[in-house]
Structure formats: C-alpha cells, structure tokens
C-alpha cells in the first residue's frame, strides 16, 4: 500500500470504559461514523499516526512519479505520451492534496520533505523497483494502481475529514489510471511475440512486489487494530491482498499472461485463490533502503528540492518586495 | 479549402508549427517529477500537455496536406533530425529551471501573436487550430512572463540566473522572424503572416517584461539559424534517439 | 533564507453559477500566484470558472459545534498547529 506498516503508540486497543471522558467522546463519534475535523480535540497518538500515514502516502505519490516519469520521454506514440504525462502529473496533484491534508494536523510541507529527504519518513516499497521496459508502465497502472485503489476507496470514508476529502478527489481522478495500464498491457499482448514477451516479463517482475505493497500479515498487529478502531484503516493487509489476487488473476488470464506463482490455485471452499507467500526478507530489505532503486529515488527528490531552492526563494523575495512597494505607495498616497 | 497546389506549402508549414510544439513539449515533460515545487511541477506539465495536444493537430494537418497516407505518429517518431522543422530555441537543453522558464517565455511571446495572425488564415484548418491553440498559449504567456518578472526581481541569485538564461538563449530568437521562400508563398496565398510581421509585438512584450524583471537583452547579437530547413544543433539528435527508441527498436509494432 | 511559501485556501465557482466552493489548498508566494497555481492544480484550466484564494491563516472559524467545555481547541487557527506541535511532552500540563 502507499502507506505501509504505520505505527501507533498503542500497546493495546483500550475499550471505551477505560478512556477518559474526552477520549471516550471522541471514540464514540468515530464509532458513530462522524468525521473529525482539524480544529477539534483528538488524542495525540491519533494526530501523530495520521501525520505518519498521510505523509507516507504523499511521499509515495511524489516518489511514485519517478519510475513512470522515466518513460514520458520514451512513450511510443503522441497519445501515449500525453496520457502518461497526465497520469504522472495527477500523482503530483495527489501528493499535493495529501500534503495539504497532513498540514491541517500541525506539520508543514517543508518539514515532511525534510523527513523524506533525511530517510526518516518512508514511502511505498513498490517505487524502489526499476521501470525497464514500456510494459512496466502498463504493469504499474494495472497492478500498482489496482492495488492502491483497493485501499483508497474505503479511505474515502475514513474518520479524518481532510484526509477523507483528499481521497474523494484522488479516487475520482485516479479512475483512469488503472485502465490506461491495463490498456497498455492489452495492446502489448495482442502485438508481436516480442511485445507479448515484454508484457510477461513485466508481470514476472511486478507481481511479487505488488503483493508486498499490502505489507506483511497484520492480523496480530496492535497498530493495525488501533488504526481500525480509529477508522483510518478499514481492512486487514491479508484481506486486501486476497481481494487483489482474486481480482487480478482473471485479468491476467484474459491477457494470456502467466502469474509467476506455482502455488496459485482456485480454492472452491473459500471462494478465492490460494497463493504463495511473498519474500518478506526482500520486502524488509527494500523498506530498509536496500531495494534496487532506493538510492536513485531519494537522490532525485533531494536534487529536485535542492536545485529548486533558489527558485522558491526568488519568488518569496519578489512577493515581499511587492508587498513592501504596495505598502509604501499606500503610505505615500495618504 | 485551399487549392491543391498549395498543399505542399501547408504541409511544410504545419510541420514547422507542430515540430516546435512537440520538441518544447518534450523538453518540458523532462521536468515532470523534478520541478522546484509541486505546484510548478503540475503547471509545467499542463503547458507540456497543451503543446503535445497542439502537436497532434498540426501534424495531422501535415499528414492530410501531404496526402501520402502517413500518420502523425509516423511523422513524430520516424523522421530523422534533418526532417525536423522546429526552431533551434526549443531543442536547447533545459538547464536550470530559470532557463526553462525563459525559453518558454521567449517562445510564448512569439507564439501568441503568430497564432492570432493565423486565426485569419485563408485555410480554415489552420485558422481553427490557431484559434484553439491561442487560448492555451495566452495562458502560457501570462504565466511565463509573470515568472520571468518575479525571478528577475527576486534575489541576487535568481536575477543572475535569469540574466544568464537570457544571454544563453538570445542567439536562438533571431530565427523566429526570418523568412524564406516558403514564407513568401504562404504570405502570397494568405495562409500565414510574414514571419517578420510580429517581431514588433514580440519585441514590445519582451522589452516591457524585461524592464519589470530588471533584465537586459544582449546588445550585440547574432542569430543561430537552420531549424526550419532541418539543420539543427547537436541536441535534437539525442532528443529523437530517446523519443523514437521504441518505434525504431520494434519496427511496425502497434502500441 | 528558505522560508516556506504560505498556504492558501482555494474556492472555485464552476460554470453552473453555484456558490464558490472550497476545493482544497496549495502553497504560493503571494495571492496572484496562488490564483495561477489554483488554476493549474484545481481546474486543470477549465475556462469560465471564478477562483477565490485566501490565506489559510486569515480564515476565522467557528468553534466546533458539538463541543462541551472539555473540547477547547488547541489553537485558534484552522490550519496548522505549529506551536501546539512544538510543546514537549514534559510540559504538557501548561
């Protein structure tokens, strides 16, 4: 997911009876499906957890621009070029909405950038994998956006107002992202043998990292339980992963592609697929900074930010000069 | 509709317009994900998207006028450097964000008066494309001129960077107003204005903007030229190598 | 230098003549650029819309409606709670 393994401070989820009146009233409002808004009282841990979750989500959007951005200048037709550029631009927009949502919780965008650039804040593991062929652009739209949507749709109903509203806007804009990815795959699979092989290769490389996006099983995680109690997480990682596999396997079949999992099989009894376990050693290595592209991704973000400092400062300086000039003109007129 | 005899001139003119849009759109798209602020990243992508959209219109017109059954993608992805007709200005490397902004401004200040004149073209297709594009380009110019003023006036560093951008790009502006035999034909048939005819409007806009930005146009100048007859700087070859990679590596494939 | 561009709230009235509606926020060095940025970020340049921007710090908001005395807001500003954020845990009783 775009926010993976978000930690809370909780040792265990407390019942309403154990809470102070203020927190209890807060929890009851969440239980009743009400939205919490920026100015209202909230437990410190709720606020901090949301900052972690929303900023991680935002970082994932803007770091996520990079692997796909690789192919904007190499897109094979004018139309594909425009579509991909619009999609990657949307990701910048989604990052922007999410940073703004996090800012209502008392942290600035610059502070969040600093956390990203210093390596303190995380972003989704998926964006540390390389985009090696045009089919990877298809696979990202189809698999990665497909996985993200599973999580983002329920988040539109989460308890924190600004986050929920950002997700509404994001889900609306993102509806075409997965389809454009699947469309790229469809055309490749109907194309030459080389193109079909390109599509299969992309699925082979992106399948497991996509399953890892949901994070390891969190059935026993107190953090997930707390986040669910706060309604900032709605489904368990395993539930989402199962849903994703069940949705994606028939699509792969439609494309004539083979999912690279020998353990994959339909289980009539549970009404879903059985599938293999992702390599969690790899996942934790990627999270720890040892993925194939971690260094390139962070370096690109740091460079963009550092190289742009003079530009941002220049505009700030002009704005204050203009304000001063207007003030002086006003005084002179009086 | 124009007489059949004018079709080659129309095709060539559409290439000149479309290629400049394509290469500038391509250059701007290189910034996606790397701009100095998210708001700017999004805004520049909008400009790039507009330009790519305009490219499609111009290149489709080129295909139609040419009548050889080629598609706009074949024009974009299968011509070599010598077949490209864009201005040298737009193929120059992005440099820092200041140079990118300045290149956009110098182009926009030329592009808008040209499009306005083209809205009166005797060819209805040219006039229609120009009308649609002019709306978009009016906004491009508003934004790029605003940024030039702000950055020129901003800090000592932003001023120095913008002045360096002017000095670097200025030699590529002269080409915009040079006429050749094709232009004479276009003017004679009322298809397009004489390239020199909107130099005054460009000059006036630049003078006003630079005054607000406290920037100076170089006094001594020479004009680099050749883009319109397919003689380019070294940079275009690299752009095309990247842009055309898939179409070249997998000939005839559909995408 | 490097001070962050201020935050602006964006309100847009669409083509159907309804009231301006809050659509989100963004950063910009001043009001004029906030309008341009709003056009690029929130309208993807639809024509015929009207945009209002207002500095987030200039918004005055009502107290939350369903609050008893226990629910004093931590800060008078709607957006951002920087001072609140800086209070260390040890001095939480202040």
């Amino acid at each position: 997911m775009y926010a993976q393994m978000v930690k809370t401070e909780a040792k265990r989820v407390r019942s309403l009876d154990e809470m102070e009146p203020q927190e209890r009233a807060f929890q009851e409002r969440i239980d009743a499906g009400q939205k919490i808004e920026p100015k209202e009282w909230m437990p410190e841990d709720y606020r901090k957890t949301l900052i972690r979750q929303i900023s991680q989500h935002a970082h994932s959007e803007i770091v996520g621009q990079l692997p796909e951005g690789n192919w904007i200048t190499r897109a094979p037709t004018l139309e594909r070029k425009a579509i991909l550029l619009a999609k990657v631009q949307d990701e910048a927009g989604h990052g922007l909405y999410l940073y703004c949502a996090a800012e209502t919780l008392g942290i600035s965008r610059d502070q969040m950038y600093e956390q990203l650039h210093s390596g303190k804040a995380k972003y989704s593991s998926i964006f540390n994998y390389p985009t090696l062929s045009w089919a990877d652009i298809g696979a990202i739209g189809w698999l990665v956006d497909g996985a993200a949507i599973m999580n983002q749709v329920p988040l539109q109903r989460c308890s924190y107002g600004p986050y929920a509203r950002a997700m509404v806007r994001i889900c609306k804009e993102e509806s075409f992202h997965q389809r454009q990815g699947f469309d790229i795959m469809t055309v490749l699979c109907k194309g030459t043998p080389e193109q079909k092989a390109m599509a299969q290769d992309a699925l082979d490389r992106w399948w497991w990292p996509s399953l890892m996006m949901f994070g390891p099983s969190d059935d026993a995680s107190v953090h997930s339980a707390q986040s669910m109690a706060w309604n900032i997480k709605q489904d368990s990682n395993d539930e989402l992963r199962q849903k994703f596999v069940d949705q994606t396997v028939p699509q792969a079949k439609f494309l004539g592609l083979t999912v690279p999992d020998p353990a994959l099989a339909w289980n009539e009894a549970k009404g879903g697929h059985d599938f293999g376990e992702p390599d969690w050693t790899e996942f934790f290595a990627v999270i720890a900074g040892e993925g194939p592209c971690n260094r390139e991704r962070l370096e690109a973000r740091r460079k963009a930010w550092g190289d742009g400092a003079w530009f941002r400062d220049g505009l700030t300086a002009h704005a204050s000069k203009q304000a001063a000039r207007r003030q002086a003109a006003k005084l002179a007129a009086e | 509709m124009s007489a059949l005899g004018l079709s080659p001139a129309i095709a060539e003119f559409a290439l000149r317009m479309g290629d400049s849009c394509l290469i500038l759109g391509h250059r701007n798209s290189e910034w996606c994900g790397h701009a100095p602020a998210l708001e700017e990243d999004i805004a520049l992508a909008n400009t790039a998207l507009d330009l790519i959209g305009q490219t499609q219109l111009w290149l489709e017109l080129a295909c139609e006028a040419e009548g050889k059954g080629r598609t706009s993608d074949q024009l974009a992805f299968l011509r070599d450097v010598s077949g490209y007709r864009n201005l040298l200005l737009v193929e120059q490397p992005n440099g820092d964000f200041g140079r990118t902004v300045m290149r956009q401004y110098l182009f926009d200040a030329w592009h808008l008066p040209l499009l306005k004149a083209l809205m009166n073209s005797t060819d209805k297709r040219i006039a229609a494309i120009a009308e649609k594009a002019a709306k978009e380009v009016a906004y491009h110019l508003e934004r790029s001129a605003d940024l030039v003023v702000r950055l020129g006036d901003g800090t000592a560093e932003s001023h120095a960077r913008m002045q360096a951008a002017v000095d670097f790009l200025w030699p590529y502006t002269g080409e915009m107003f040079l006429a050749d035999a094709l232009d004479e034909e276009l003017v004679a048939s009322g298809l397009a204005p004489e390239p020199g005819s909107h130099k005054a409007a460009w000059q006036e806009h630049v003078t006003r903007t630079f005054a607000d930005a406290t920037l100076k146009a170089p006094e001594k100048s020479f004009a680099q030229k050749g883009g319109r007859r397919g003689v380019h700087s070294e940079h275009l070859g690299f752009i095309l190598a990247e842009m055309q990679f898939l179409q070249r590596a997998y000939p005839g494939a559909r995408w | 230098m490097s001070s962050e561009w201020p935050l602006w709230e964006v309100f847009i009235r669409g083509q159907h003549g309804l009231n301006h509606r809050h659509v989100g926020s963004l950063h910009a060095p001043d009001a004029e650029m906030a309008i341009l940025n709003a056009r690029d970020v929130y309208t993807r340049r639809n024509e015929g819309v009207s945009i209002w921007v207002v500095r987030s710090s200039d918004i005055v908001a009502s107290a939350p409606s369903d609050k008893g005395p226990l629910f004093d807001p931590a800060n008078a500003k709607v957006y951002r709670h920087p001072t609140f954020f800086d209070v260390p845990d040890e001095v939480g009783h202040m």
Side-chain angles (χ1 to χ4, degrees):
Chain A
M1 213 33 56
Y2 282 9
Q4 293 163 326
M5 303 199 305
V6 178
K7 287 215 166 61
T8 66
E9 305 282 319
K11 302 278 185 288
R12 64 188 180 86
V13 179
R14 288 170 305 135
S15 69
L16 286 174
D17 297 340
E18 296 170 271
M19 294 175 184
E20 294 295 315
Q22 195 171 37
E23 183 174 359
R24 183 180 169 153
F26 169 86
Q27 187 62 50
E28 281 170 344
R29 287 182 57 209
I30 289 183
D31 294 345
Q34 290 180 24
K35 293 270 182 278
I36 307 302
E37 294 297 338
K39 202 178 173 182
E40 297 168 351
W41 185 89
M42 60 187 78
E44 186 59 8
D45 191 23
Y46 174 83
R47 192 179 69 83
K48 284 186 173 162
T49 303
L50 267 177
I51 288 179
R52 269 194 290 273
Q53 178 170 337
I54 302 173
S55 65
Q56 204 183 108
H57 197 156
H59 297 328
S60 296
E61 295 283 356
I62 64 162
V63 174
Q65 286 185 272
L66 301 169
E68 290 179 276
N70 279 338
W71 282 88
I72 293 172
T73 52
R74 288 181 285 173
T77 68
L78 293 172
E79 189 180 62
R80 291 283 182 206
K81 195 182 197 67
I83 293 171
L84 182 59
L85 179 55
K87 176 180 189 269
V88 182
Q89 179 198 41
D90 276 352
E91 280 151 19
H94 299 168
L96 187 150
Y97 308 153
L98 289 162
Y99 283 124
C100 288
E103 282 182 80
T104 63
L105 291 158
I107 186 168
S108 70
R109 195 196 288 177
D110 279 9
Q111 283 173 310
M112 289 184 268
Y113 274 158
E114 206 177 288
Q115 293 174 350
L116 173 66
H117 298 156
S118 69
K120 188 181 162 219
K122 301 288 180 218
Y123 56 86
S124 178
S125 54
I126 195 77
F127 300 119
N128 291 311
Y129 290 88
T131 47
L132 303 177
S133 76
W134 173 250
D136 289 14
I137 301 307
I140 288 181
W142 171 37
L143 301 174
V144 176
D145 290 306
I149 289 167
M150 307 231 127
N151 182 46
Q152 292 180 164
V153 167
L155 277 176
Q156 293 178 99
R157 299 187 311 270
C158 78
S159 65
Y160 189 56
Y163 192 25
R165 291 189 285 272
M167 292 318 306
V168 168
R169 187 167 265 274
I170 288 171
C171 287
K172 200 168 126 197
E173 292 183 3
E174 203 155 271
S175 56
F176 90 90
H177 289 187
Q178 192 189 10
R179 283 182 207 174
Q180 70 90 33
F182 193 70
D183 184 58
I184 289 175
M185 295 304 268
T186 307
V187 173
L188 289 174
C189 289
K190 285 181 186 159
T192 65
E194 281 168 306
Q195 286 177 302
K196 178 101 189 250
M198 196 189 276
Q200 181 63 54
D201 170 60
L203 176 59
D204 291 347
R205 282 181 292 107
W206 289 93
W207 175 257
W208 291 110
S210 296
L211 293 197
M212 289 179 207
M213 278 178 75
F214 299 96
S217 178
D218 61 352
D219 290 347
S221 162
V222 65
H223 303 302
S224 294
Q226 179 61 74
S227 291
M228 284 182 175
W230 282 334
N231 190 24
I232 55 177
K233 178 180 171 75
Q234 286 94 348
D235 305 281
S236 79
N237 294 349
D238 286 334
E239 282 166 352
L240 288 172
R241 191 168 14 249
Q242 181 71 49
K243 214 169 139 188
F244 174 76
V245 170
D246 290 339
Q247 175 188 289
T248 312
V249 168
Q251 294 166 348
K253 200 173 165 191
F254 171 86
L255 291 171
L257 296 176
T258 309
V259 173
D261 178 0
L264 185 73
W266 176 254
N267 181 332
E268 190 63 48
K270 79 169 180 186
H273 292 84
D274 291 330
F275 52 96
E277 193 71 19
D279 178 357
W280 294 111
T281 322
E282 176 182 315
F283 172 78
F284 285 110
V286 173
I287 290 280
E290 294 162 16
C293 299
N294 295 60
R295 282 188 287 192
E296 286 91 338
R297 300 292 182 252
L298 261 191
E299 186 47 36
R301 286 311 315 162
R302 287 195 196 114
K303 186 176 186 310
W305 188 243
D307 288 356
W310 72 269
F311 174 88
R312 296 188 302 274
D313 289 347
L315 295 190
T316 302
H318 172 79
S320 11
K321 282 182 181 178
Q322 277 295 86
R325 283 175 204 136
R326 275 174 203 164
Q327 189 61 29
K330 206 175 143 193
L331 285 176
E334 276 169 11
Chain B
M1 273 305 145
S2 318
L4 202 59
L6 289 169
S7 289
I10 292 173
E12 182 73 6
F13 177 71
L15 283 184
R16 290 182 177 187
M17 296 301 293
D19 289 349
S20 282
C21 291
L22 174 56
I23 300 302
L24 186 57
H26 181 95
R27 278 295 193 211
N28 286 343
S29 78
E30 292 174 11
W31 277 105
C32 188
H34 305 272
L38 269 182
E39 286 79 2
E40 212 53 54
D41 207 301
I42 294 166
L44 192 59
N46 273 335
T47 303
L49 283 168
D50 286 344
L51 289 169
I52 293 168
Q54 292 170 24
T55 301
Q56 285 169 301
L57 298 175
W58 287 121
L59 293 189
E60 275 156 23
L61 173 59
C63 294
E64 190 184 313
E66 176 188 74
K68 291 181 188 166
R70 289 202 285 184
T71 65
S72 52
D73 281 333
Q74 286 173 323
L75 286 182
F77 294 91
L78 297 176
R79 275 178 301 153
D80 203 346
V81 167
S82 62
Y84 262 79
R85 297 288 180 261
N86 59 282
L87 295 168
L88 300 178
L89 176 73
V90 298
E91 68 197 41
Q92 297 312 305
N94 285 341
D96 64 9
F97 203 74
R99 191 195 286 177
T100 295
V101 166
M102 182 59 73
R103 183 183 59 199
Q104 186 68 42
Y105 169 66
L106 294 171
F107 180 81
D108 293 340
W110 165 80
H111 201 191
L112 186 61
L114 171 58
L115 290 171
K116 283 185 173 166
L118 287 173
M119 285 162 64
N120 299 316
S121 171
T122 49
D123 186 288
K124 286 195 176 62
R125 297 166 300 180
I126 292 177
I129 296 172
E131 187 175 351
K132 181 183 183 298
K135 284 183 199 151
E136 296 168 349
V137 172
Y139 182 69
H140 299 175
L141 179 59
E142 181 186 344
R143 202 173 220 290
S144 63
D146 184 57
L147 281 177
V148 166
V149 169
R150 287 165 179 272
L151 294 168
D153 178 60
T155 60
E157 183 179 3
S158 70
H159 176 86
R161 283 175 182 269
M162 295 312 280
Q163 186 60 56
V166 177
D167 296 344
F168 180 87
L169 294 170
W170 198 256
Y172 300 103
T173 58
E175 184 189 28
M176 302 190 293
F177 308 105
L178 297 178
D180 59 13
L182 176 75
D183 290 303
E184 285 169 27
E185 192 182 342
L186 294 168
V187 173
S189 49
L191 287 167
E194 209 277 313
S197 64
H198 42 278
K199 183 166 189 179
W202 180 83
Q203 192 75 59
E204 193 270 329
H205 203 289
V206 169
T207 304
R208 184 158 33 92
T209 304
F210 281 15
D212 289 347
T214 69
L215 295 171
K216 285 193 181 69
E219 284 172 18
K220 278 201 293 186
S221 185
F222 58 101
Q224 296 282 7
K225 49 187 183 289
R228 286 172 170 182
R229 50 192 171 90
V231 182
H232 290 271
S233 64
E234 289 179 341
H235 306 295
L236 185 62
F238 291 97
I239 293 177
L240 297 186
E242 188 173 342
M243 188 172 90
Q244 300 179 339
F245 157 69
L246 283 169
Q247 293 275 3
R248 301 288 191 183
Y250 302 91
R254 288 168 51 85
W255 301 94
Chain C
M1 187 164 132
S2 295
S3 57
E4 192 169 356
W5 293 345
L7 193 64
W8 302 79
E9 298 307 315
V10 180
F11 300 80
I12 291 179
R13 187 184 64 213
Q15 282 141 331
H16 305 298
L18 297 175
N19 289 332
H20 281 80
R21 197 168 65 87
H22 183 243
V23 295
S25 338
L26 49 73
H27 287 272
D30 61 20
E32 291 78 11
M33 272 213 81
I35 293 268
L36 293 181
N37 287 347
R39 198 170 165 201
D40 275 303
V41 172
Y42 286 106
T43 76
R44 295 293 199 273
R45 311 235 224 91
N46 282 340
E47 292 194 36
V49 299
S50 159
I51 301 173
W52 288 350
V53 293
V54 57
R55 249 182 208 257
S56 308
S57 58
D58 286 343
I59 290 192
V60 180
S62 62
S65 52
D66 53 345
K67 297 292 149 297
L70 283 172
F71 300 92
D72 281 342
N75 194 304
K77 296 283 196 295
V78 191
Y79 297 91
R80 306 210 209 184
H81 301 233
T83 47
F84 181 62
F85 191 61
D86 285 335
V87 175
D89 292 346
E90 312 86 84
V91 293
H93 64 276
M94 283 176 80

